[in-house]
Amino acid sequence: MRVRWRVPIDLWVEPVLVLVVGIGFVVWHGVTHFSATEAVQLQWGVLGSSIGEHIEITIVATVIVLVIAVPLGVLVTRPVFSRVAPIVVNLANIGQAAPALGMVVLFAMWLGTGFRTAVAALVVYAILPILQNTVTGLRRVDSKTVEAARGIGFSGLRTLLQVELPLALPVILNGVRTALVILVGTATLGTFIGAGGLGVLITTGITLFLPSLLASGAVLVALLAVTIDWIARLAEYLLTPRGLRGAGAIG
C-alpha cells in the first residue's frame, strides 16, 4: 500500500506568482525613467530599507498579538472563565471595527509618534482573528477526545498541550495567516506617525502625484503580503498533523 501526499495548489501557485511579479517589477524598474524624487525613493538601497522597516513592524506586532491572543483564547475556553468569553471577543471586535487610520492617530495622540506607537495600534487592530480562531479551534475539539485523554490519566495541562492545541492548530494558524495579511496592509499607515515602511512610497506618490512611486509601493506591499501569507500557509501545512491535512490519498 502506497501513500501519496498531494501538495495543495496554493503552496506552489503563490511563490510562482510572487516570482513572476517580482521579476516583472525588477525589469520595469530597470527600463523606466523616473523623476528626480522617484529616483531617490526607488534606489534599491532605499527600497531595501523601507521593506525591512515594514517587515519589522509586521513581525513585532504579530509576535505580540500571538503572545496575547493565544493564551487569552485558551483561558476563555476553560470552564471557569467561559462566561467572560463573549465579553473578551467583543472587546477585540472593537479594535477590528475601528478605522485603521483612526486607531493609529488615536495611539499617536496618546503615546506619541514612532515605531512603538505603530506596533501598539496594529496589535489592537489585528488581535481579533487569532483570538477568535483560538477560541473556535479549541471549542471544535471533540469533548469525547478530551474525556478519553483525561480518562487515561492526562492532567488538564497535558490534555491541553498534547491533545486540544494540536487538534485546534489548523484553525489557529488560519487566524494567524489572516492577521499577518491584515498587518502587512495596515502597516503602511505607520508612515503617518513616522514609523517608516513602504507606506512612505504610497503617501509620497499620492501627495506629489508620482504614479510610478505610488505603483511601486502598492506592488511591493502586495508582494510582501502574498509572500508572508505563503510562508504562514506553508507553516500551517507542515505543522498540521497529517491526518488533519485532508491532502493524503491512499492507493
Side-chain angles (χ1 to χ4, degrees), residues 5-198:
W5 296 101
R6 298 172 183 170
V7 178
I9 188 171
D10 56 327
L11 283 180
W12 60 266
V13 168
E14 283 189 323
V16 170
L17 176 64
V18 169
L19 184 62
V20 170
V21 177
I23 291 174
F25 177 78
V26 172
V27 172
W28 171 81
H29 186 282
V31 300
T32 302
H33 177 72
F34 300 116
S35 66
T37 302
E38 289 173 331
V40 172
Q41 293 287 335
L42 293 178
Q43 292 178 20
W44 289 116
V46 176
L47 284 178
S49 178
S50 297
I51 293 171
E53 291 171 350
H54 206 94
I55 292 174
E56 185 180 6
I57 294 172
T58 302
I59 297 301
V60 172
T62 302
V63 171
I64 295 174
V65 170
L66 284 171
V67 170
I68 295 173
V70 174
L72 189 58
V74 171
L75 187 65
V76 299
T77 56
R78 303 305 93 185
V80 178
F81 299 99
S82 59
R83 291 183 179 180
V84 302
I87 298 174
V88 172
V89 174
N90 285 334
L91 287 174
N93 253 321
I94 294 174
Q96 186 72 68
L101 181 56
M103 186 73 68
V104 170
V105 172
L106 284 175
F107 270 79
M109 293 172 63
W110 176 33
L111 301 174
T113 58
F115 176 84
R116 293 182 180 179
T117 302
V119 168
L122 291 177
V123 167
V124 173
Y125 192 70
I127 198 170
L128 179 64
I130 300 179
L131 174 62
Q132 195 166 47
N133 278 42
T134 301
V135 173
T136 301
L138 289 171
R139 285 179 174 171
R140 285 184 180 178
V141 176
D142 192 344
S143 59
K144 293 181 180 179
T145 304
V146 176
E147 290 173 4
R150 298 304 300 270
I152 62 174
F154 279 24
S155 66
L157 179 61
R158 187 178 179 186
T159 301
L160 172 66
L161 296 177
Q162 296 187 7
V163 178
E164 294 181 75
L165 283 176
L167 291 175
L169 191 61
V171 180
I172 296 173
L173 289 176
N174 192 265
V176 174
R177 288 179 62 197
T178 302
L180 278 168
V181 174
I182 290 173
L183 287 169
V184 171
T186 53
T188 56
L189 301 176
T191 184
F192 292 108
I193 57 172
L198 291 170

